[in-house]
Structures are given as C-alpha cells and as structure tokens.
Amino acid sequence: MKSRSMRWSAYGILGVLVFSLVRAITGSSDLTSVGTFNAALLLAIPIALAGLGGLFSERAGVVNIGLEGMMVMGTWAAGFWGYQRGPWMGIVMAVIFGTIAAAVHAVATISFGVDHVVSGVAINLIAPGIVRYLSVIVYQDSNIPGAGPTQSPSVQSIGSNGLPFLSGGHVLGWQSPDLLGSIGAKGWFFISDISRILRGLTGDVSYVTMLCLLLFPLSWYLLWRTKFGLRLRSAGEAPVAAESLGVNVYRVKYIGVLISGALAGLAGGFLAIVASSNYQEGQTGGRGFIGLAAMLFGNWRPGGLLMGSALFGFSDALQLRASDAVHSALLVIAIGFAVYAVAQWRQGRRVGGAVTLALGLGVFALFTYVKELPGPFVTMTPYVTTLVVLSLATQRLRMPAKDGVPYRKGGDS
Amino acid sequence: MNELAVELRHIVKKFPGVVANKDVSLKARRGEVHALVGENGAGKSTVMKVLYGMQRPDAGEILVDGQQVRFRTPAEAIAAGIGMVHQHFMLADNFTVLENVILGSEPTKHGRIDTAAARARILEMAAAYGLDIDPDAMVENLGVGERQRVEILKVLYRGAKILIFDEPTAVLVPQEVDELFAALQGLRAEGLSVIFISHKLDEVLRVADNVTVLRHGQTVAEVAADSVTAQDLAELMVGAELPTAPPRSTVPHERVVLSLQGITVGGQGTRDLLHDVSFEIRAGEVVGIAGVEGNGQHELIDAIIGLAPCQGTIVYNGTDISRFSVARRRDSGMGLIPEDRQREALLMGSALWENRMLGHQRSAPVARHGVLQLKAVKADAAVIMREYDVRAPGPETPAHALSGGNQQKFIVGREMSRQPSLLLASHPTRGVDVGAQAAIWEELRKARDAGMAILLISADLEELMAMSDVIKVMLRGRISGTFDPQRTTLEQLGVAMTVASA
Ligand SMILES: Nc1ncnc2c1ncn2[C@@H]1O[C@H](COP(=O)(O)OP(=O)(O)OP(=O)(O)O)[C@@H](O)[C@H]1O
Ligand SMILES: [Mg+2]
C-alpha cells in the first residue's frame, strides 16, 4: 500500500518535471499556469460526475447511455430554481430532475425489460424536447431579463474558497496569505511550476466543486467497502447468484440507476451554476457521453474515470485558453510516449514498445515541423489525447459480467 | 434425533410444455443424510429449487420443523435455515472467494464490511470441514473442485440446518469425494440434515441413510440405504439393469492421430501450468487422463484445441498444427466436449437448434457455401435429440430449460455428429444418469472402433478404467505416471494422483 502511493507520487513529480521542462523550452506559460489548472478543474468535474453516474448504473448491470439526457434535465432545473430560489436550491433541483429521468430509465429497463440502449437513447432524444417545452412555457412571455426559450435568467454564483495560508483561502471573513501564489509568481524552475499547479487546483474553488470531489472517494468506499456496494456490484456480475443468496436484485438495480441519474443531474447543475451562470440550451455538449467513455476506459472504477476526466479537462482548458500551448503540449506527449515505450520494452513487450516509440516520434515530428496547428485540430485535442492515453494506459478492460443483460427474476440458470 | 426436519407433500411444478414435478413427496430427518435419485430430467433439481424458494410450486405443501411454510424467495428459505449448493455453480467470477461467500449476509462494523472477521470465520469453517481454500483468490481463477468448496462454504456460512447438495460429487475425484463425505458426516453428527442428489449410486449407498427415488416427476419409493443394492436403485429409477462394460475386442490402429511434443503452458507464477507434456494418441485409441482437478487438464485441452498459447509441437494427422487457429483445428476434425457445459459449450438463452451450430458453423450440414442451412440444422438437432435421448419438448426449447444431464447429452451428440477424428472429451458423462451414461459409452466405443481417437479426461475413475486403453496421471502440470488399466487398481491410481512418484 505504502510503496504504491510512493510510486504514484514519484510519477506525479516526474510528470510535473516534464511539464516544467517543456514550459521552459517552449516558453508557453499556459502549460503550467494557475488559470489553466483552475479551468481544467471546472471542465473535468461535469464529465467525471457523469462518469461516476454511469459507474453506479453499470456496476449494477444497467447500461446508461441516457446520462446526457439526465444531465440536460439537470441544467434546466438548475437554471429555473437557481434563478428563483438561489443557487443551492438550483443544485438540489438539478439532482432531483436527473433522478426523475433516471426513474424512467429504471422502470423501462428493470421492470419492463426494455433494451438498455433503446431506453437510454429515448431519454437522450426526449430530454431536450422537454426542457425546450418547459422553457417556452415559463420564459417565453415573461419579461424577466435574459430569459428566453433557449436560456434561463442568470443565477447567483455560489461562493468559493481556497486552502488557507497556502492558496489564499479566507477563514471567517479574514483573507489568509497566498503562499503558493507568491511562490508561483517567482519564476523558479519546477518549484514555481508546481506551486502554480497546486494553486490552480486548490485556490478559488467553488464549494460545489469541493462537494463533488468528495463524492469520488465516498463512492469508492460505498462500492468497495460496504455491504450495499457488494450487493450492487453483485447485481452486475452475477444477478442470479445474488438473488439465490437473498439479495433483492431489482431493488439494488433501481438504487444504482437512481443514483446514476442523481449524479448526472448534479453534473448538469454544475454546468449551469458553477461552470457558467445560467441554463443554456445545448449546454451539456455531449459531456454525458464523454463521461461514459471516461468510465469505460477507467475500467469501471472511480479512480480511473477521474483520471480520464482530469486529462480531458486539462487538454480542454489548454485548448480553450491558448492554442500555442497545445502545440507545446505535443512535446509533452512525445516525451510521455518515449517514457512509456521504454517501460513497455523493459516488461518484454517489444512490439508494443516499438509502436509506442513510433507514435512518439510521429508526435515529435509534428511538434518540430508544424509550427501552428490548424484550428479544428486544436479543438480536437482533448478528445484525441484522452482516447490515446487511456487506451494505452488500460491494459485490460473488465466490464461487469452481466452489464446490459436484462435480468428476469426466477429466470433459471 | 429422529424428528422430521423437512417434509415435502405432493409437490407439483409445471413449466410450459413440461410437468417437472407431478407428485413429489420427501421426508428428511434431523441428523440424516437423505439421498434423492432419479433419471436425468426426473425433476430432482426442480423440487429442490422449490424447497429453496427459487421456484414456486403449483400445488403441494412444504413443512420445515413441522411448520407449514411458503417461501417466496431464497432469502426466506435461508432465514428458515435452508441452504443449497447448486448443480451449476452460482458464483460471481469477478469477485473474490470471500466476497462470494459473504454476499447477502455480510458482517459489518461501523457500516463497512468487516473483512477481517469474515476471513477469520471462513478460514475457521474451512479448517473444521477440511475445505481448503484461499479466501482472497478470484473465483475466475479457480478450478471446478475449488468452486464447489466455495459453494459449500457459502451455505455453511449462513448457518443452514438443512443443506441441499445438487450433484456435488459430479465434479470431484475420489479423494475429494472422500473429503466431502467426511464433511457431510461431520454435519450429520451435529444434527444437521443433508439432502443429496447424485447419479453415482454406490456413493449414494455409502453416504446416505435413506433414499428417495423419483421417476418422471413422481416419488416412486423411499428406502433405507442399507436395505438395497445399487442394482435395486437403478431398477427403481429407470426400470433397467445397471450396465456392465464388455472388455474391448478390437485393437487400436498403428496410425498416430495426435502427437504432442514438449507442450508447455506458462503460468502467472514461476510454475508452468503445463510442463513438457508429450504423448501420442493413435486412431482407435482412448487415452485417459486421471488427476485431481486443476493439475493441468484444462490447459492440456486448451493447448490442443488452440485456446491457450503454448510452446512445443502439436502434430495432428501428420500436419504440424502448432500455429493453427482454433477454427482451423476444429474444421480439420477435432471435436470438443468442454468441462463446464454451461460456460463453455452452450448459449443458455438460445434454442437447442442454435446451440447445435456452435463450433460447427462453417461446415455441412450447418452451412453450405457460407450460408446457414436453418432447416437442416433444426432437423439435425432433432436427430441428435432422438439418438442421444435428450428429453426436451423439441429443438426450439432453450438450453436453460433442460435438466443438467440432458444438456450434457445434447453436447455429446453435437460433437459426435460430425464424426471427429479426434475427440477431446472432458467429463463426457458428468451429470448424466446411469442409463444415459451406458449409452454414451456405447457411442464412444463404436466411434473408437471405427477409428476415432479419444482423449478422455474424467474425474470418474471407473469410467477411465472402463474406457481407456492407457491411463496417464497428471500432477502439477506434468504427466506423473502411465498405467495400463488392465493391470492397475483404483487405489494405485488414487495414490499416483496425489503423490509424485519419486
Ligand atoms: N426453467 C425451466 N423451464 C422449462 N422446463 C424446465 C425448466 N427447468 C426444468 N425444466 C424441465 O423440468 C424437467 C425436470 O428438470 P430437472 O432439472 O428437475 O431434472 P433433474 O432431475 O435435476 O435432472 P438431471 O439429473 O439431469 O439434473 C426437465 O424435463 C426439464 O426440461
Ligand atoms: Mg438436476
């Protein structure tokens, strides 16, 4: 256990070192700026929440591609109630709306045995229609400033805070010093870089973000350390066996899907209230699907999906803030490939190592010969990096054995 | 001591198109091992599932400790002290042994699963009943014998007072059977009741106090074990005599069908799963493999059929097939009866005629010029069902609706239908009744005499002795001895299976 955490810290330090190096060589300060990492956090959370939602559902054996639709419901509810009753109420209602959408999915798939994908697609198709309809009813003819059929009036923002003393957090109204921030401004190689990264992740963080981040260790604990978790996972692995041991498989599956919807709703609420300041149509932008992909490549585990989401969030932030930084990131990727190739080679995976090395050289060539990346390529980076890195990093994906298989009680084995 | 623990009165259970239980009655006392015997499809598993709350009876009464009960779910049966070890394992492959055992009755401490307590308790029970197991092993890595121990631990862990064992010995070798029976005696001594289903009649007589016989879904007799012989039981079950194997009158050909040279399959640890195995099988010869489950038998079959990457050379009918794909090997005439019928040989949710096509999807009569011949397949499935006495309504019946023995008969029929030149048979008669076993043996003998080579792996030593021309014993991935069945006793084999010959 101890050696494992030590190894991970070593990887982390190595990673930061590479970033600092590349930043120093290329001069693109955005690679390790406070702003990039702060934005990365904001961009990663909705995806990670959606992925976590997918995790709960699929661990219970129900495929949930309706996450996107459930998120849509969440964004709308957050806008409507957030504007009327304040941002916290908006978040709560987003969770409830997501749960309601999930209830539909649960009834269809668990009680009526509808194909999971069919039901999920239906939810994704219907949800945008419903929220549009609701918007037209409540906003169309109102004279509220900013309200319209495609968006809600703006919602107050939820407060934020940072670590006291380290990242300038405030304690009982007193503004503490910002140690990391001032070190970060010094321009010391590596030390300042790492300070800026930490400052970006721990300063000016919304209270909702903190809450969301807490959900990950909590979910892991719930799923892998408690009775409820064991039963939920058994519903996805061997429902017949579980039933024969007195587990109420239907109930467990229902709970899994409902939690899934609640988390997707929360992701929607986060998008509307924390990442922006009102509900806008199409705000989810496919994040439900990206979350699902992160969960898949994260091997149906909270840690894995969090890492996938973080990667996506980071490359997305970079892409949004500065395209020259994306170009510099190519160098980081090239180095990453080279390191990984060596690791593979040493494990005796010669062919894999050679392929990875070739990829790395390709990226390096791209870095040296193409000075400015075309716009669409830049927009694409988060998707491509996440895909490539995750598919290389995951050695063996193991989905729940009975994921997506309709379960009938009393069905004979 | 002699109070009734369970009584079943006139249980009726119907499935669409089949009456599984017409009129089943059974009485099991405290401190008794009660055997339930009957042909494949007689309704044994069904009536036990009724008792365990997995199936609801259409009529009849269940009494536990003299009280009438009505179980709607297994949870209720468990609460009433009933536990069941199923004929087909019900385990989550991706869970550890511990997780499988505690699922549904998890010990907790401050809301989290108390793994330490559970592990201690499992190890304690394992020691008390001689059920050797590693609580932290993943079930997917376990052999059949070990999986069964997990199933038994599951039941004991729940503190069951009435234990149902559905064909527990089908997968065990004699030593393991002895261990299991010792455990059963221990349970009996503590006043628990055991209901025990088996097709191996001598075992039944050895371990049981009383025997209930089912025929076509009806109780036809309840007898004391010490008042009957295996012959009597067989007659009660099927109205036929126990088959006796005639000695072989033909000799194997000279032509070598399969030749293995130095086959090695690596493992995760330091020890190879299969190490330097070499032997030959000639046309018309049966090579038997004896050994305790998990000593490399599975890997041997996988290596020959091409499922496990291996070192060494495999020559088949004169061609080196070491680099051939599974499809090419099968198409060149290898038949395969896998060890776990439900996981490796059948699609449980699909109709029998669809299952007929598995593994044969490229060759006649299943496919012609790459197009499936559905009519021919259905007709052929019906032929197999008739020839191998598969008792089910028809080719459209889904595989899960068949009793275990009937599933097995169908698989044997499917593999034999293409007249393979080499048959890899893992436990070909596992779970089939005495009558059907004799029939399958007869088919195998006929094919053998016509020149088919057979690699026979079996936990049933009598089967090995009766069928094989030569028996090889496997121990820790190596061939540890070669025996001539004519000049070997069961005891000698048993010793060779557990102790390495110096
Ligand atoms: N779920 C089901 N649906 C339809 N038919 C079934 C179902 N389960 C069992 N049957 C039928 O009920 C009959 C009795 O089956 P059962 O499994 O009880 O036999 P068994 O005595 O255990 O046989 P075996 O020794 O082969 O295991 C069989 O004809 C079988 O086809
Ligand atoms: Mg049975």
Side-chain angles (χ1 to χ4, degrees):
Chain A
M1 220 40 206
K2 200 166 170 193
S3 73
R4 203 170 133 200
S5 63
M6 262 163 65
R7 201 171 41 164
W8 278 107
S9 334
Y11 286 159
I13 289 174
L14 202 74
V16 176
L17 205 61
V18 169
F19 270 90
S20 329
L21 211 68
V22 171
R23 185 204 40 87
I25 295 171
T26 62
S28 37
S29 57
D30 266 321
L31 266 186
T32 59
S33 75
V34 172
T36 305
F37 279 84
N38 212 320
L41 193 60
L42 275 187
L43 290 164
I45 295 263
I47 292 165
L49 284 177
L52 193 64
L55 181 84
F56 269 94
S57 170
E58 302 219 349
R59 279 286 173 185
V62 180
V63 169
N64 189 357
I65 63 165
L67 286 169
E68 179 78 11
M70 296 172 195
M71 272 175 88
V72 169
M73 301 288 283
T75 52
W76 189 85
F80 183 69
W81 274 281
Y83 144 74
Q84 289 193 321
R85 295 278 162 86
W88 284 108
M89 197 58 192
I91 296 282
V92 170
M93 288 312 291
V95 169
I96 294 179
F97 259 55
T99 314
I100 293 174
V104 176
H105 189 55
V107 170
T109 54
I110 304 165
S111 297
F112 294 115
V114 174
D115 184 274
H116 299 182
V117 173
V118 171
S119 166
V121 168
I123 286 173
N124 287 340
L125 290 176
I126 294 168
I130 292 180
V131 297
R132 182 64 184 263
Y133 179 72
L134 290 174
S135 292
V136 168
I137 293 179
V138 299
Y139 298 139
Q140 179 99 303
D141 300 321
S142 71
N143 293 321
I144 312 162
T150 60
Q151 63 173 36
S152 75
S154 58
V155 180
Q156 253 187 333
S157 86
I158 283 181
S160 62
N161 204 347
L163 284 180
F165 302 104
L166 284 178
S167 303
H170 44 88
V171 190
L172 302 172
W174 171 70
Q175 177 75 41
S176 69
D178 181 0
L179 194 63
L180 286 171
S182 47
I183 299 178
K186 290 278 197 262
W188 297 332
F189 176 73
F190 185 66
I191 307 282
S192 292
D193 289 296
I194 206 167
S195 305
R196 283 198 297 270
I197 292 174
L198 290 177
R199 174 64 173 77
L201 295 176
T202 58
D204 294 325
V205 177
S206 160
Y207 289 116
V208 183
T209 308
M210 299 179 198
L211 213 78
C212 294
L213 283 174
L214 270 182
L215 288 175
F216 288 85
L218 208 73
S219 302
W220 172 81
Y221 186 85
L222 191 67
L223 285 172
W224 275 274
R225 285 295 174 269
T226 69
K227 176 162 128 176
F228 166 75
L230 184 67
R231 293 181 177 196
L232 186 125
R233 288 184 297 125
S234 76
E237 294 288 346
V240 181
E243 188 84 51
S244 84
L245 294 175
V247 174
N248 188 338
V249 174
Y250 282 168
R251 193 176 75 194
V252 167
K253 278 178 182 270
Y254 260 95
I255 296 175
V257 175
L258 291 182
I259 293 180
S260 170
L263 289 167
L266 178 59
F270 186 94
L271 277 178
I273 294 180
V274 184
S276 97
S277 60
N278 67 343
Y279 154 76
Q280 286 155 26
E281 194 169 82
Q283 200 164 25
T284 54
R287 285 185 176 78
F289 294 108
I290 300 170
L292 207 59
M295 177 206 68
L296 243 84
F297 285 106
N299 208 3
W300 287 264
R301 291 185 153 267
L305 81 85
L306 198 56
M307 251 186 300
S309 311
L311 195 65
F312 188 92
F314 174 73
S315 14
D316 207 12
L318 215 54
Q319 174 263 123
L320 286 172
R321 291 174 61 89
S323 63
D324 72 306
V326 173
H327 182 254
S328 313
L330 287 177
L331 189 56
V332 176
I333 296 173
I335 296 176
F337 275 142
V339 171
Y340 188 60
V342 172
Q344 274 180 314
W345 189 273
R346 280 182 47 193
Q347 281 173 20
R349 286 156 55 204
R350 300 276 150 102
V351 181
V355 170
T356 315
L357 191 65
L359 273 174
L361 288 176
V363 175
F364 186 71
L366 209 63
F367 170 76
T368 14
Y369 296 115
V370 184
K371 279 301 163 207
E372 195 161 338
L373 291 172
F377 197 89
V378 173
T379 329
M380 212 163 81
T381 34
Y383 302 90
V384 176
T385 2
T386 313
L387 199 75
V388 171
V389 172
L390 287 181
S391 50
L392 283 178
T394 32
Q395 317 260 326
R396 195 179 71 121
L397 291 181
R398 174 73 147 93
M399 69 187 270
K402 290 289 151 65
D403 193 9
V405 182
Y407 170 71
R408 290 273 106 217
K409 196 164 159 174
D412 206 63
S413 72
Chain B
M1 272 304 262
N2 264 340
E3 302 143 84
L4 283 185
V6 189
E7 185 175 3
L8 299 176
R9 288 188 188 151
H10 310 293
I11 300 290
V12 178
K13 175 70 194 172
K14 298 181 183 134
F15 290 112
V18 212
V19 184
N21 293 155
K22 240 179 250 160
D23 176 10
V24 179
S25 299
L26 181 150
K27 289 184 192 132
R29 286 154 207 85
R30 274 203 203 118
E32 173 190 46
V33 176
H34 192 100
L36 183 60
V37 300
E39 275 184 292
N40 292 132
K44 304 178 296 292
S45 297
T46 305
V47 74
M48 287 301 116
K49 284 182 192 165
V50 166
L51 174 56
Y52 188 55
M54 289 184 84
Q55 302 275 7
R56 278 196 230 172
D58 296 314
E61 293 172 3
I62 303 173
L63 286 83
V64 174
D65 291 329
Q67 301 282 315
Q68 183 158 352
V69 289
R70 194 164 278 268
F71 300 135
R72 273 167 299 146
T73 61
E76 294 177 6
I78 292 169
I82 298 177
M84 178 157 179
V85 175
H86 295 274
Q87 178 171 13
H88 303 107
F89 300 140
M90 295 213 185
L91 297 170
D93 283 359
N94 201 17
F95 278 12
T96 61
V97 169
L98 184 137
E99 287 174 322
N100 269 287
V101 171
I102 65 175
L103 178 62
S105 24
E106 307 84 352
T108 53
K109 201 160 129 194
H110 311 305
R112 78 182 265 164
I113 294 180
D114 192 350
T115 337
R119 186 177 295 116
R121 189 142 164 244
I122 292 172
L123 286 174
E124 183 191 314
M125 284 183 334
Y129 296 105
L131 301 162
D132 178 33
I133 199 89
D134 169 14
D136 296 309
M138 287 297 263
V139 165
E140 67 183 339
N141 299 330
L142 301 184
V144 189
E146 290 169 298
R147 279 167 201 250
Q148 170 161 61
R149 274 173 249 155
V150 181
E151 288 281 15
I152 297 176
L153 282 171
K154 263 164 69 174
V155 172
L156 292 175
Y157 188 85
R158 284 167 177 71
K161 292 198 192 51
I162 298 154
L163 285 81
I164 305 166
F165 287 84
D166 195 350
E167 296 193 35
T169 58
V171 295
L172 304 181
V173 297
Q175 285 86 345
E176 291 174 318
V177 172
D178 290 342
E179 287 167 16
L180 173 67
F181 284 0
L184 292 190
Q185 299 301 354
L187 298 174
R188 168 161 70 183
E190 286 178 25
L192 306 188
S193 314
V194 174
I195 301 178
F196 173 87
I197 299 177
S198 174
H199 288 294
K200 299 182 181 168
L201 301 178
D202 344 332
E203 276 176 15
V204 165
L205 294 180
R206 201 166 97 203
V207 72
D209 301 304
N210 290 296
V211 186
T212 293
V213 184
L214 292 193
R215 193 197 298 168
H216 301 310
Q218 272 173 303
T219 300
V220 292
E222 204 217 296
V223 293
D226 49 19
S227 69
V228 286
T229 64
Q231 195 70 44
D232 300 335
L233 279 184
E235 272 168 42
L236 282 170
M237 272 167 57
V238 287
E241 295 195 358
L242 259 189
T244 47
R248 175 163 197 179
S249 55
T250 55
V251 287
H253 303 221
E254 283 303 314
R255 186 170 59 87
V256 173
V257 172
L258 180 77
S259 159
L260 303 179
Q261 288 144 24
I263 300 298
T264 298
V265 174
Q268 282 158 346
T270 47
R271 192 161 64 81
D272 289 335
L273 293 172
L274 200 64
H275 185 82
D276 194 20
V277 169
S278 307
F279 62 85
E280 292 182 342
I281 310 181
R282 288 174 294 162
E285 185 183 36
V286 180
V287 173
I289 302 282
V292 178
E293 182 76 43
N295 274 286
Q297 298 95 320
H298 196 100
E299 288 72 22
L300 177 62
I301 295 272
D302 280 0
I304 298 174
I305 199 77
L307 283 170
C310 65
Q311 288 138 34
T313 316
I314 305 173
V315 178
Y316 176 58
N317 284 333
T319 326
D320 180 350
I321 60 159
S322 314
R323 303 240 156 265
F324 281 21
S325 66
V326 179
R328 251 183 110 179
R329 296 184 200 206
R330 291 216 67 159
D331 289 348
S332 61
M334 282 192 191
L336 172 67
I337 301 173
E339 78 176 354
D340 187 334
R341 54 180 167 250
Q342 298 202 339
R343 294 203 319 164
E344 300 166 319
L346 291 172
L347 293 174
M348 297 307 290
S350 301
L352 288 178
W353 66 267
E354 289 171 300
N355 275 293
R356 162 67 184 88
M357 301 192 281
L358 300 182
H360 303 257
Q361 61 274 26
R362 284 172 304 273
S363 49
V366 175
R368 282 227 160 81
H369 313 299
V371 180
L372 295 180
Q373 306 292 315
L374 298 190
K375 258 216 196 97
V377 170
K378 286 183 196 178
D380 196 60
V383 170
I384 291 176
M385 291 176 69
R386 196 167 57 243
E387 285 181 356
Y388 285 82
D389 189 28
V390 178
R391 304 209 184 149
E396 302 285 349
T397 311
H400 72 76
L402 262 62
S403 78
N406 282 306
Q407 290 167 0
Q408 186 70 27
K409 290 191 266 179
F410 187 79
I411 295 164
V412 175
R414 171 178 82 196
E415 295 308 315
M416 296 293 286
S417 69
R418 197 167 55 180
Q419 293 158 341
S421 63
L422 170 67
L423 180 69
L424 306 172
S426 262
H427 314 281
T429 61
R430 174 172 281 177
V432 307
D433 63 49
V434 281
Q437 185 177 42
I440 290 177
W441 286 352
E442 194 47 43
E443 287 296 329
L444 292 180
R445 284 203 188 91
K446 261 195 269 171
R448 171 202 71 191
D449 289 344
M452 181 171 80
I454 302 179
L455 181 67
L456 176 67
I457 294 180
S458 182
D460 182 347
L461 294 187
E462 319 229 352
E463 174 169 88
L464 282 175
M465 298 286 251
M467 295 290 298
S468 311
D469 297 304
V470 56
I471 296 180
K472 304 202 177 276
V473 173
M474 288 194 75
L475 187 65
R476 293 194 210 107
R478 297 159 194 262
I479 302 277
S480 67
T482 300
F483 295 86
D484 177 352
Q486 309 294 331
R487 275 180 283 258
T488 312
T489 62
L490 286 177
E491 286 68 34
Q492 284 172 313
L493 269 188
V495 169
M497 281 162 59
T498 43
V499 197
S501 50

